[in-house]
Amino acid sequence: MTPTRSPDAAVAASSAVPDSGGDAAPVRKAGRFSVFVRGRWLLTIPGRIRTHVALTLAALLALLAVLTVAIGNARDSVQTIGHDAGPQVVATGALYFALSDMDAQVASILLIGRDHGLGIGRDRSLERYERRRTEAGRAAVQAAQLATHDPDLRRTVEEVLDGLGRYERLAGEAMLLDRQAGHPPGEPPAEVVDAYRQATDLMKVELLPKAYNITLDTGEKVRRTHETERSAILTGRAWVVVTGALLLALLVATQMYLARTFRRVLNPALVLATAGTLVLVAVATALLSAQAGHIARAKRDGFDPILSLSRARAIGHSAFADESRYLLDPGRADTYEQTYLDKSLSVLYLDMGTKPLNLANYHPAVDGTLARYRPGPGAPPFLGLFGDEARVSRDGREAAAFGRTLQAYRTVLANDRRMRELAARGDRAAALDLRMGRTSGAIRDFDAYDAALVALAGVHREAFDEAIAAANGGLRGWAAVPGAAAAAIALLIAVGVRPRLAEFR
Amino acid sequence: MRIVAAAIAVLSALCACGLEGAERRGVAGERSLVIGVKADQPGLGLKGRNGYEGFDVDVATYIAGRLGVPRSRIRFTTTNSSVREKALASGEVDMVVATYSITPKRKTQVTFAGPYYIAHQDTLVRGDDLGVRNVRDLRGRRICEVTGSNSWRRVIEERNVAARRVAAPTYAACMGDLAGGRLDAVSTDDLILAGFAAGRDVRIVNAPFTDEKYGVGLRKGDLEGCAEVNRAITRMYQDGTAERLLNKWFGRSGLKLTTSVPQFEGCS
């Protein structure tokens, strides 16, 4: 709008309108609408006041709309990561774990043969195999739910379920042959090993990669939604500031106009409306910043580490099973030793410099590193999934739980080293006893490590829940706040200008 | 009202820079792509008179196609092993598909999509040599040591197999030495061996002993592009293209091929 205070300007403005002047009389007859269109009303004081009010209310409406959208985005964002996709993605991680542990149980059963006193025993291994089968089925259902809008992902889930059927048949054959053979522990006959090779190859080459990719893919979707929603919240916050500032400027302008025109110092109602707007914008901006922060924290300290620890756990279990495969199938011992190394490296990678990268060098290097390392700020001396974890768990409960996990893992690796030394010396019985014996400790130590890892994930789970609870708490009540505040501000504006307009009646 | 106008001007300027963070585009948004490949590996990436050809080149073309970039808007360029990280960081190439193994160390500099194939170190011997059944049988035999390649270390140092090293400048030269009887075996990634095996009287032992995760190298931080490439690779296996390409390039080598999608590394 053009500020038109001087009479010359008013004349200039009216003469700028075409068809004025000569046709003045018929226009006057045409009534108020025409007056409105021609803009003459703008020149009157009540007209000016009304214009101020109209613009102010428009800005107020804009602020209300922007606030509603921004708070809606914040709500969606909490919903996605805290309640819908986030937990579901974590649940699909159970698929990889269950499948991998099924194969581990089969390897144990075949390795212990007729000696039911080894390991956790044949019956309990079978029980655990069945339980993992059920869990895999459940996790696949979760994955299928996430895949409703993604045909490629759904196909991957279907392929896993089809493959699982074939795997069960092959594993069943191996276990049947094994029972018929009734072999002493550690010496399964060739046909048992051959049958198992088919099953475990299917698991390793087809099922596990697909299961892993499902979690990665759904996790990627959460990452993307999270990024979009977070930037939507921040954009919303910027717009709240812009529309809020606009509204404040209009309120101040109205105040000044009234003060000048009516020679009054302040209009109390408008002052209140201005103050109210200021508070609303400040609180809403702070709320949106806090929401963006809570959600980022839920992802960074909760979702991401939970997911990568569940990967570390699954990889660790399958590496542990590679030890029994190493003992079970001497023909492939080199391969299983290599896969053990590869899996260990993906959990905890050390730069070995010019030293050959094999278990014989890895074991002492990792033992030395873990003996010295304490979680804290600064770059960790290793990479891999635990390297990522070290960057998140720098202090507090996380760091303590992570430190315990690493020490437990160190024991697990030390057992592996001893077992391989025994096997390399040709003492298979001692190696088998160390790995599968109930008293010698490899299983007990691995379970302790697993418990420490689960506890660490639990600490992240708490951080996640806290962040989500804070986000939910922050939003509570905000369904009504913007509307109520806008209504109050509108009311104050009306109260402020009504008496001034009344002077012209 | 002048206050209002000024406020609007200032705020919209503030808002504009706050909202549009300047971010380098990833491969998912490009109209055309420059892709780094190898130029001297038959079956994988080989530069001939009609340009580049091989499995890596076909995989890269398929992935680019799924990203919406047709063959006509792809430019292939030779990216040697030593410059791959630098070429990606400088933006000289958008993507590297060049027998590029994913390692935790490289992951600190490069975002890897894939792997699109997991190759394994294996051994190649003359067709009439039936004495080698796995890597342990290389004890006492002469294997090729190619300048700049670590494959021999994996046999002699990592597995402590006492093979004898015979130096050669390239794997192509190893093939000549093998045929000429100056060598007994060549041990390196099976796809590289398979590329050389075509049309020669040689045998791949099919006793893999390492996993080499061939990844698609992207600029560090291009997570969006990485996810898109992973989706393309998933589709490549689902629609049978991967199997067709593997058979096209390596089907006659006698190598056992994996035609199921590999386990992805995860974008980071």
Side-chain angles (χ1 to χ4, degrees):
Chain A
M1 52 176 295
T2 358
T4 51
R5 280 178 62 205
S6 68
D8 317 346
V11 171
S14 65
S15 65
V17 181
D19 293 336
S20 62
D23 299 323
V27 166
R28 227 167 261 135
K29 278 178 204 154
R32 297 177 73 175
F33 178 71
S34 180
V35 170
F36 179 80
V37 169
R38 305 184 101 221
R40 285 262 170 89
W41 59 280
L42 267 177
L43 305 178
T44 65
I45 288 171
R48 290 271 184 84
I49 295 177
R50 286 201 186 94
T51 310
H52 272 281
V53 169
L55 283 172
T56 312
L57 288 180
L60 181 60
L61 267 181
L63 176 61
L64 177 62
V66 164
L67 255 182
T68 310
V69 170
I71 287 169
N73 282 332
R75 231 177 267 285
D76 288 349
S77 173
V78 179
Q79 190 65 27
T80 309
I81 194 156
H83 304 285
D84 298 341
Q88 266 178 315
V89 170
V90 174
T92 65
L95 180 58
Y96 183 96
F97 180 71
L99 291 174
S100 148
D101 203 41
M102 277 173 79
D103 197 51
Q105 296 313 314
V106 176
S108 287
I109 290 168
L110 303 183
L111 185 60
I112 60 182
R114 63 171 180 236
D115 187 346
H116 292 195
L118 279 176
I120 57 171
R122 186 188 170 96
D123 293 342
R124 275 189 59 202
S125 287
L126 260 180
E127 230 174 77
R128 202 158 135 181
Y129 172 82
E130 291 295 336
R131 195 168 69 237
R132 297 300 186 217
R133 170 69 188 83
T134 314
E135 286 170 9
R138 283 203 197 115
V141 170
Q142 291 268 7
Q145 280 171 357
L146 285 171
T148 36
H149 302 297
D150 184 341
D152 287 0
L153 183 60
R154 201 167 59 227
R155 178 148 171 205
T156 305
V157 176
E158 285 163 7
E159 285 173 358
V160 169
L161 285 173
D162 293 348
L164 185 53
R166 273 184 293 145
Y167 175 82
E168 281 184 286
R169 190 171 53 73
L170 292 168
E173 272 168 32
M175 288 191 282
L176 182 67
L177 286 170
D178 171 70
R179 209 169 56 184
Q180 286 167 349
H183 61 84
E187 296 163 30
E191 75 258 25
V192 172
V193 172
D194 280 347
Y196 178 65
R197 278 185 180 184
Q198 288 189 43
T200 195
D201 284 349
L202 174 67
M203 184 58 90
K204 185 192 168 208
V205 175
E206 290 194 31
L207 294 183
L208 289 176
K210 284 172 186 161
Y212 196 83
N213 292 357
I214 289 169
T215 307
L216 281 181
D217 192 44
T218 50
E220 161 57 27
K221 286 198 179 74
V222 168
R223 183 197 67 80
R224 193 199 293 221
T225 317
H226 168 79
E227 293 285 321
T228 317
E229 284 171 347
R230 203 176 103 83
S231 81
I233 294 175
L234 295 178
T235 309
R237 185 183 65 179
W239 279 109
V240 166
V241 172
V242 170
T243 49
L246 181 63
L247 177 57
L248 284 172
L250 282 164
L251 283 168
V252 170
T254 308
Q255 180 78 262
M256 282 164 66
Y257 177 72
L258 291 181
R260 231 171 9 228
T261 313
F262 296 93
R263 300 183 190 287
R264 289 174 190 235
V265 183
L266 279 178
N267 182 319
L270 280 184
V271 169
L272 273 180
T274 311
T277 306
L278 205 58
V279 170
L280 177 66
V281 170
V283 172
T285 310
L287 171 84
L288 291 171
S289 303
Q291 288 299 316
H294 291 320
I295 290 156
R297 201 152 49 83
K299 182 161 182 304
R300 191 191 58 228
D301 297 346
F303 180 78
D304 289 346
I306 290 172
L307 208 55
S308 69
L309 288 177
S310 88
R311 266 181 226 158
R313 182 169 183 234
I315 292 171
H317 274 258
S318 95
F320 193 53
D322 281 339
E323 293 182 355
S324 16
R325 296 185 191 109
Y326 166 85
L327 296 171
L328 175 70
D329 188 351
R332 280 192 182 178
D334 279 335
T335 309
Y336 286 129
E337 186 166 312
Q338 181 65 34
T339 56
Y340 187 88
L341 175 63
D342 286 341
K343 285 169 190 171
S344 305
L345 286 170
S346 68
V347 172
L348 200 159
Y349 177 88
L350 283 181
D351 189 359
M352 308 281 292
T354 53
K355 272 194 204 159
L357 190 56
N358 53 22
L359 271 180
N361 287 323
Y362 178 75
H363 274 317
V366 83
D367 194 63
T369 306
L370 289 183
R372 285 187 302 276
Y373 177 73
R374 294 288 170 274
F382 45 81
L383 300 170
L385 291 168
F386 278 172
D388 297 342
E389 177 63 25
R391 285 166 211 282
V392 180
S393 297
R394 290 169 189 275
D395 47 27
R397 287 175 304 166
E398 280 95 342
F402 183 46
R404 282 193 291 275
T405 307
L406 285 178
Q407 291 315 312
Y409 188 52
R410 193 178 154 207
T411 314
V412 167
L413 290 173
N415 285 334
D416 180 77
R417 188 178 177 181
R418 268 174 61 214
M419 184 204 78
R420 283 180 213 277
E421 278 165 6
L422 289 170
R425 242 185 276 146
D427 195 348
R428 279 177 56 79
L432 186 67
D433 191 53
L434 172 64
R435 172 60 181 79
M436 301 302 283
R438 283 181 189 172
T439 49
S440 45
I443 290 179
R444 185 198 59 212
D445 290 340
F446 185 81
D447 287 346
Y449 160 65
D450 194 49
L453 196 57
V454 170
L456 176 58
V459 173
H460 286 294
R461 177 78 214 192
E462 281 170 30
F464 178 81
D465 289 344
E466 278 165 20
I468 293 297
N472 278 328
L475 285 173
R476 202 166 296 134
W478 273 85
V481 167
I489 291 167
L491 193 70
L492 284 169
I493 294 170
V495 168
V497 297
R498 232 180 96 85
R500 301 290 83 78
L501 283 173
E503 292 179 23
F504 294 88
R505 294 238 168 90
Chain B
M1 285 295 113
R2 237 165 293 162
I3 309 169
V4 178
I8 292 175
V10 169
L11 283 167
S12 46
L14 272 178
C15 208
C17 40
L19 298 184
E20 290 157 34
E23 211 173 285
R24 249 173 86 184
R25 274 190 308 179
V27 288
E30 294 284 353
R31 231 183 83 79
S32 61
L33 288 172
V34 181
I35 302 178
V37 291
K38 286 275 175 77
D40 55 357
Q41 281 178 352
L44 286 153
L46 189 67
K47 193 175 184 178
R49 255 170 293 158
N50 304 320
Y52 293 88
E53 57 162 37
F55 179 67
D56 281 351
V57 177
D58 285 353
V59 167
T61 308
Y62 180 91
I63 290 171
R66 298 288 311 168
L67 297 176
V69 178
R71 180 69 189 84
S72 57
R73 293 207 297 267
I74 301 173
R75 190 164 67 78
F76 285 105
T77 174
T78 305
T79 309
N80 289 322
S81 300
S82 55
V83 300
R84 289 179 292 205
E85 288 84 14
K86 224 168 69 190
L88 279 169
S90 68
E92 197 181 309
V93 296
D94 299 306
M95 193 190 270
V96 171
V97 187
T99 61
Y100 198 5
S101 287
I102 304 174
T103 65
K105 206 171 167 187
R106 285 180 184 155
K107 275 168 77 176
T108 60
Q109 298 174 59
V110 175
T111 289
F112 280 104
Y116 56 93
Y117 193 79
I118 298 183
H120 311 279
Q121 182 155 348
D122 211 324
T123 307
L124 182 95
V125 293
R126 278 183 297 276
D128 55 3
D129 183 353
L130 300 176
V132 178
R133 285 168 57 219
N134 65 44
V135 61
R136 300 256 161 229
D137 297 332
L138 292 176
R139 179 204 296 260
R141 290 181 203 256
R142 294 164 299 172
I143 64 166
C144 204
E145 176 195 346
V146 174
T147 317
S149 164
N150 282 328
S151 295
W152 64 271
R153 287 179 194 275
R154 297 183 175 248
V155 177
I156 295 174
E157 294 188 346
E158 293 182 10
R159 267 161 208 76
N160 291 313
V161 174
R164 285 183 286 153
R165 300 182 301 190
V166 176
T170 62
Y171 279 103
C174 296
M175 291 298 152
D177 289 352
L178 185 68
R182 290 178 292 277
L183 274 178
D184 299 311
V186 182
S187 184
T188 189
D189 295 4
D190 52 9
L191 289 192
I192 296 177
L193 294 175
F196 281 113
R200 286 193 167 90
D201 179 25
V202 289
R203 182 173 69 89
I204 295 178
V205 173
N206 273 313
F209 57 91
T210 67
D211 284 352
E212 303 296 334
K213 299 176 267 189
Y214 285 177
V216 176
L218 302 171
R219 178 179 53 79
K220 180 74 184 162
D222 184 6
L223 303 185
E224 193 68 45
C226 174
E228 286 297 323
V229 172
N230 279 348
R231 243 163 262 148
I233 295 170
T234 303
R235 179 64 76 82
M236 180 173 82
Y237 277 89
Q238 285 184 349
D239 70 11
T241 305
E243 184 168 1
R244 185 171 57 73
L245 293 178
L246 284 165
N247 282 324
K248 172 182 165 191
W249 292 106
F250 312 111
R252 279 157 297 160
S253 66
L255 175 69
K256 275 186 205 141
L257 296 160
T258 304
T259 54
S260 174
V261 68
Q263 179 164 312
F264 292 150
E265 192 65 20
C267 302
S268 63

